[in-house]
Amino acid sequence: MIDNFVYNAHPGRVLFGTGTLDRLPEEVERLGIERALVLATPHQRGVAEDLSRMIGTRAAGVFADATMHTPVEVTDRALREVQNRGIDGLVAVGGGSTTGLAKAIALRTDLPQIVVPTTYAGSEMTPILGETQNGAKTTQSSPKVLPEVVIYDVDLTLNLPFDLTVTSGMNAIAHAAEALYAKERNPIISLLAEEGIAALWRALPALRAHPTDLGARSEALYGAWLCGICLGSVGMALHHKLCHTLGGSFDLPHAETHTALLPHALRYNAPDAPEAMSRLSRALGTDNPSRSLFNLAADLGATMALRDLGMPEDGIERATDLALQNPYWNPRPLERDALRDLIAAAWAGECPA
Ligand code: NAD
C-alpha cells in the first residue's frame, strides 16, 4: 500500500551529457533571447566570455561579479547592467553563487534564464533563493526563480578543483539524505534521492584517482542533478537549518560546512528515521551511513572539523541557542543537550559513533 502523497514537479528543460554546451546558441534562440547577459564569478570570467562568443550577436555583455550568498548590492549592480544594455535573457555559468545571481535578477525582472552548472550544488533545480543584505541572510521560495533551461555539460566539470568536487558532492548528498526523511517525502523523490546518492558515492572515490575521468564526472553530475531535484521538491530539516545558521553566524564556507556537519546531523536523526537510514544504507552499501560518509569525506581530504573552517569554540553554545530559536520540523525533536553534543562533535571533527 502506497501512502497518499503530493509530488511537486517543477517545469523546465534539461540537457544532459558531454558537449551539450554546443547547443547553447540554439537554446538562446529557442527562448527568443536577443540580448543575453552572461553571468559568472570573477574566477570564471573567461568561461563566461567563451559562452558570450558562442552566442554571438545574441550576446550583449558579461557580468562576472557573482558572489557567494547573493549579496543584494551585487544584484543591484547587475540590474543596472540589465537596464542599461537592454537585456532580455540571462545565461549563468558556474556554481550556486552564479545561479543565485541569475535567480535574484529573474525574481525582479522575470527574465528567462539558461543555467549551465559547473559544481554539484543543485541550486538550478530549486525555486529557492537565499540573499544577503547588511550581513543578514533571508531565504524565499518562488517559481519565478526557476530557470527555463538547464544545460549540464560534463566537460565543464572536468576542471572543478578536487577539494570542491568532494565538498560540493557532499553538499548534494546532503540534499538527498534529508529528502529521505522530509515531512513531505514521497516515493518519487525517495527514488531520485537513492539514485543520486549512489551515483555520487561511486563517483567521488573514482575521481580521486582520475579527476578528469569522464565516466565518473558524468555520474557525479547526474547524481548532483537528482539531488538538486530533491532539494527543490521537499522541505529540508536539521542538517540544512544548522548549515544555514552556522554559515550565516560564523561566515563559514557553504559546501565545506555541509560536509563537516552531515555525518553528525544524520547520526542525530537516525533513531527517528529508520526507513530513511535503511535506504541511505542501501545507496551507500554500508550499515552505518554517518560513519561511512564521514570516512569517505575525510579520506578524500575534506576538512571535517568546523573549528578548522573558522568557527570559534564559544560558537558551540551560541549555535545551539540559535538552532533552538525558530523551531522547524525534524524527524527527531530538537533536544538541547543532544544538539549541543552534535555541534561540539562537528566542531572538533570527531567521527560519529
Ligand atoms: P560557488 O558557486 O561559490 O563556487 C565556488 C568557486 O568555484 C567560485 O569561485 C567558482 O567560480 C568556482 N568554480 C565553480 N565551478 C568551477 C569549475 N568547474 N572549475 C573551476 N572553478 C569552478 O560554490 P557552490 O558550492 O556551487 O555554491 C554555493 C552557493 O550556492 C552558496 O551561496 C549557497 O547558499 C548557494 N546554494 C543555493 C541553493 C539553492 O537552492 N538556492 C542550493 C545550493 C547552494
Side-chain angles (χ1 to χ4, degrees):
M1 171 77 185
I2 295 170
D3 292 337
N4 296 4
F5 66 89
V6 174
Y7 170 61
N8 288 306
H10 295 304
R13 172 176 163 91
V14 177
L15 285 70
F16 183 91
T18 63
T20 40
L21 189 61
D22 291 347
R23 294 177 60 183
L24 176 64
E26 158 191 345
E27 292 300 320
V28 168
E29 199 177 332
R30 211 182 59 83
L31 288 176
I33 298 172
E34 289 182 347
R35 297 188 59 76
L37 184 64
V38 184
L39 309 172
T41 61
H43 180 72
Q44 287 178 295
R45 172 180 281 280
V47 190
E49 282 167 354
D50 289 345
L51 264 61
S52 173
R53 272 190 292 277
M54 280 179 77
I55 300 169
T57 53
R58 288 177 187 262
V62 166
F63 182 88
D65 269 342
T67 309
M68 181 90 87
H69 303 312
T70 330
V72 171
E73 169 269 316
V74 174
T75 303
D76 285 343
R77 270 197 290 125
L79 284 167
R80 283 197 288 278
E81 293 285 311
V82 165
Q83 200 163 31
N84 294 343
R85 295 175 189 240
I87 298 299
D88 63 359
L90 305 166
V91 174
V93 61
S97 297
T98 306
T99 308
L101 175 60
K103 287 165 129 181
I105 300 172
L107 179 75
R108 292 159 174 85
T109 58
D110 249 339
L111 287 179
Q113 309 169 65
I114 300 178
V115 174
V116 185
T118 63
T119 71
Y120 306 133
S123 174
E124 65 282 354
M125 284 295 133
T126 84
I128 307 159
L129 170 65
E131 296 183 283
T132 45
Q133 190 163 29
N134 306 324
K137 184 165 180 175
T138 52
T139 302
Q140 59 183 304
S141 181
S142 163
K144 269 175 137 180
V145 308
L146 281 165
E148 278 68 11
V149 177
V150 175
I151 301 179
Y152 287 111
D153 189 334
V154 179
D155 299 349
L156 290 175
T157 63
L158 294 179
N159 62 351
L160 182 64
F162 187 65
D163 54 347
L164 188 52
T165 296
V166 174
T167 54
S168 191
M170 289 290 286
N171 184 196
I173 289 176
H175 307 330
E178 288 226 297
L180 287 171
Y181 55 59
K183 192 177 179 186
E184 309 87 354
R185 66 186 172 277
N186 64 66
I188 316 288
I189 289 302
S190 296
L191 206 63
L192 298 182
E194 226 181 293
E195 172 82 356
I197 293 167
L200 280 156
W201 178 253
R202 282 190 300 269
L204 294 179
L207 288 169
R208 171 173 42 192
H210 303 287
T212 56
D213 181 89
L214 207 56
R217 281 287 177 197
S218 157
E219 274 221 293
L221 192 59
Y222 169 70
W225 169 17
L226 303 188
C227 293
I229 300 175
C230 296
L231 174 69
S233 303
V234 295
M236 296 287 112
L238 177 67
H239 170 73
H240 280 74
K241 305 289 178 191
L242 272 181
C243 286
H244 185 85
T245 302
L246 292 172
S249 308
F250 308 107
D251 199 23
L252 304 183
H254 177 83
E256 290 88 337
T257 305
H258 271 270
T259 305
L261 256 177
L262 181 65
H264 302 279
L266 292 177
R267 184 76 204 85
Y268 181 96
N269 280 334
D272 290 82
E275 198 197 319
M277 289 304 138
S278 74
R279 292 191 84 134
L280 195 50
S281 295
R282 194 162 65 195
L284 303 180
T286 73
D287 57 9
N288 188 332
S290 313
R291 276 189 89 92
S292 299
L293 286 169
F294 182 97
N295 288 333
L296 176 75
D299 285 354
L300 297 180
T303 302
M304 299 311 287
L306 293 174
R307 73 171 155 209
D308 296 335
L309 294 176
M311 179 173 162
E313 189 166 11
D314 64 7
I316 297 172
E317 284 305 328
R318 247 192 305 154
T320 310
D321 291 341
L322 287 169
L324 290 164
Q325 237 170 36
N326 298 313
Y328 45 84
W329 188 87
N330 189 58
R332 177 175 166 187
L334 302 182
E335 299 157 20
R336 167 170 266 286
D337 290 349
L339 206 54
R340 192 198 172 282
D341 290 350
L342 178 174
I343 297 170
W347 180 82
E350 291 160 10
C351 182

